Amino acid sequence: MKTNKSVRGLQYAAAYLGALVSLYPIFLMLTSSLKTNIQILKNPMSLPTSISFAAYSKLVHQIPFFSYFWNSLVVSVVSVVLILLFGVMASFYIARYPFRWNGALFFFFLLGMMIPIKLGIVPLFLLMKKLSMLNSIWSLISVYTAIGLPLAILILTGFFRTLPKELEEAARIDGSSDFGVMWHVLLPLIRPALGTVMIMNFIMAWNDFFFPLIFIQDDAKKTIPVGMLSLFGQYSTDLSMLFAGLTLASVPMMVIFFLASKQFMEGMTAGAVK
């Protein structure tokens, strides 16, 4: 009994230590954004002696940070919504309707994970130009949707296949349509998978630097990663302003993670079929 308590105590200690190591850089980034440059240079690891929001004021007045923020938010949210919409419909069809070319269709979607999309940047750029989508956030949305769909279909198809057929059959006996079965019965049971897909694709779209740099030229349509490049170049000596920009840029990712991560802990299928 004492051995079990000792092992459990060591496990808790290791977990707390890991959490501390992981969260400390975020804490240091936040506290540094509330310091002045002199405080950061003198005592970079200490707490601020006096809280100052001057860095945030300079950030929003000297560069169009909220414009970058809004563009990134629109691109990321719309991309995630489209990935979930198309991914759910394709995965439901592949997983619940056996047909002759089922495996071939599933493999066709997975090909998107095997071929790096950045290798085709030149034809992709020419395609966006021909479609008059250059310098538009829709070029980013379409690319991110195409990038995220293969993995989303892989994850969601696996979850759909694990759900018992009895739930679907019971819904059909009650007169539910195919859409009703998917929307009202099966979709709530794969919320952990939806949360996984949402987190992965939101972070991918929010942090991407490559495609906004290639497709967007107008400064008013740039996203945060490209906008932060100008911040690091022009204001590289203003450390407090840099930390303020990093803090604001990381807020949506932390929010979306905490909101969606709860889905992993909910046993949505527990006791559904007796």
Side-chain angles (χ1 to χ4, degrees), residues 3-23:
T3 304
N4 292 336
K5 289 184 178 180
S6 300
V7 171
R8 183 172 296 180
L10 290 174
Q11 291 174 340
Y12 279 120
Y16 285 129
L17 180 61
L20 180 63
V21 171
S22 301
L23 293 176

Side-chain angles (χ1 to χ4, degrees), residues 38-67:
I38 297 176
Q39 290 177 338
I40 294 175
L41 293 173
K42 281 186 176 181
N43 299 299
M45 309 297 287
S46 66
L47 295 174
T49 56
S50 60
I51 296 178
S52 173
F53 293 95
Y56 291 94
S57 178
K58 288 190 293 182
L59 180 69
V60 299
H61 287 97
Q62 295 185 16
I63 67 170
F65 183 83
F66 283 124
S67 176

Side-chain angles (χ1 to χ4, degrees), residues 17-127:
L17 180 61
L20 180 63
V21 171
S22 301
L23 293 176
Y24 184 73
I26 300 175
F27 175 75
L28 183 62
M29 177 180 66
L30 176 61
T31 55
S32 297
S33 68
L34 301 175
K35 297 180 183 178
T36 62
N37 270 346
I38 297 176
Q39 290 177 338
I40 294 175
L41 293 173
K42 281 186 176 181
N43 299 299
M45 309 297 287
S46 66
L47 295 174
T49 56
S50 60
I51 296 178
S52 173
F53 293 95
Y56 291 94
S57 178
K58 288 190 293 182
L59 180 69
V60 299
H61 287 97
Q62 295 185 16
I63 67 170
F65 183 83
F66 283 124
S67 176
Y68 302 151
F69 188 94
W70 175 252
N71 293 334
S72 289
L73 189 63
V74 171
V75 168
S76 301
V77 170
V78 175
S79 299
V80 169
V81 170
L82 292 178
I83 290 170
L84 290 176
L85 176 64
F86 296 135
V88 165
M89 291 190 295
S91 302
F92 175 72
Y93 183 72
I94 292 172
R96 312 304 283 193
Y97 293 91
F99 56 95
R100 183 177 181 182
W101 300 104
N102 188 296
L105 180 61
F106 185 55
F107 180 75
F108 173 77
F109 282 115
L110 297 188
L111 282 176
M113 298 172 57
M114 305 174 191
I115 304 173
I117 193 171
K118 292 181 181 179
L119 295 179
I121 187 60
V122 174
L124 190 58
F125 181 86
L126 296 176
L127 176 63

Side-chain angles (χ1 to χ4, degrees), residues 111-167:
L111 282 176
M113 298 172 57
M114 305 174 191
I115 304 173
I117 193 171
K118 292 181 181 179
L119 295 179
I121 187 60
V122 174
L124 190 58
F125 181 86
L126 296 176
L127 176 63
M128 293 298 174
K129 183 178 181 181
K130 193 172 185 63
L131 295 175
S132 301
M133 293 178 64
L134 284 180
N135 204 31
S136 169
I137 61 174
W138 286 104
S139 62
L140 303 178
I141 292 172
S142 60
V143 169
Y144 295 148
T145 303
I147 294 174
L149 268 178
L151 183 59
I153 291 174
L154 174 64
I155 295 174
L156 296 176
T157 300
F159 269 76
F160 272 124
R161 285 174 174 170
T162 61
L163 299 179
K165 290 283 188 179
E166 289 83 354
L167 293 175

Side-chain angles (χ1 to χ4, degrees), residues 210-228:
F210 182 76
F211 290 108
L213 183 65
I214 300 297
F215 294 148
I216 305 297
Q217 291 84 38
D218 189 354
D219 192 61
K221 297 179 181 179
K222 290 180 179 179
T223 56
I224 278 185
V226 180
M228 291 295 289

